[in-house]
Amino acid sequence: MAQTIKTAPHVGPSPLGGIPFVSKWSSRYRGATVQDLEPPAALSLNPTDPIQLALISAFEREYTHLTIVDAATRALLGYIAIPALQAQLDAGRVRPEDPLSRAMARFERRGKKYQVITMATPLEDLERFFDGGGRCQEFAVVTDEDRRFVLGVATRSDLEEFVKRRPA
């Protein structure tokens, strides 16, 4: 028996009120999940680590975002976007020997409901995370279901590269 492949865009619930989210690339995902993007393992640093360590670590691994975790509890505190960090250095707002806490972007915990992105998250949901809700997100922190461990970082460009490699 032949199976019909649905090529219509994925339409799902949206945080934009009554407007449904329409995926641009759902016909190319074909059931793929974040794991299929093969995100590299996350590199997490501590707020007390020097900025210079973040720059060297990101350069060596070709990472654009690093997560910042509490040294004792390993709780996710925030992140460093390397291009933004470089701009702060160029402007003289921070120095290479300063702690990351002076330059990191902190996650707002109070009053916010976070969307958990795991390795099993469908790519349509990741695309919705990047494009939905009126806030443009450039990356997603990939965690386990219980949000205990940071497993990786998936970027918008990772998703775009996956789509380019996948035939229509």
Side-chain angles (χ1 to χ4, degrees):
M1 174 179 244
Q3 186 178 12
T4 305
I5 298 176
K6 197 165 116 179
T7 58
H10 172 77
V11 178
S14 169
L16 301 173
I19 304 167
F21 173 79
V22 178
S23 171
K24 297 182 285 193
W25 300 314
S26 65
S27 65
R28 295 200 180 172
Y29 297 149
R30 296 191 296 273
T33 64
V34 170
Q35 186 168 358
D36 294 309
L37 296 178
E38 299 177 356
L43 174 63
S44 297
L45 298 174
N46 299 320
T48 56
D49 289 334
I51 288 172
Q52 183 175 354
L53 176 62
L55 290 171
I56 291 169
S57 299
F59 178 75
E60 288 174 346
R61 293 168 180 83
E62 298 181 3
Y63 286 6
T64 57
H65 296 82
L66 302 177
T67 54
I68 308 298
V69 297
D70 183 272
T73 65
R74 306 296 296 164
L76 187 59
L77 301 175
Y79 67 94
I80 289 284
I82 299 303
L85 179 59
Q86 192 62 55
Q88 289 184 44
L89 283 164
D90 293 345
R93 290 191 295 268
V94 295
R95 295 172 302 156
E97 58 274 2
D98 288 342
L100 285 172
S101 59
R102 293 212 40 212
M104 66 185 264
R106 295 182 186 279
F107 291 124
E108 297 176 30
R109 297 203 180 270
R110 292 190 173 87
K112 294 252 185 183
K113 180 170 172 61
Y114 286 95
Q115 179 178 352
V116 178
I117 304 292
T118 68
M119 290 293 195
T121 299
L123 293 184
E124 288 90 353
D125 292 348
L126 183 64
E127 181 185 357
R128 182 182 309 117
F129 175 81
F130 288 145
D131 295 334
R135 290 187 323 197
C136 185
Q137 303 289 337
E138 288 301 316
F139 74 101
V141 177
V142 182
T143 66
D144 64 309
E145 287 286 339
D146 298 323
R147 298 186 322 180
R148 288 196 176 117
F149 304 103
V150 176
L151 303 176
V153 172
T155 65
R156 178 186 298 277
S157 62
D158 293 337
L159 187 60
E160 291 168 357
E161 285 300 313
F162 179 85
V163 169
K164 287 178 189 174
R165 293 189 317 258
R166 200 88 181 224

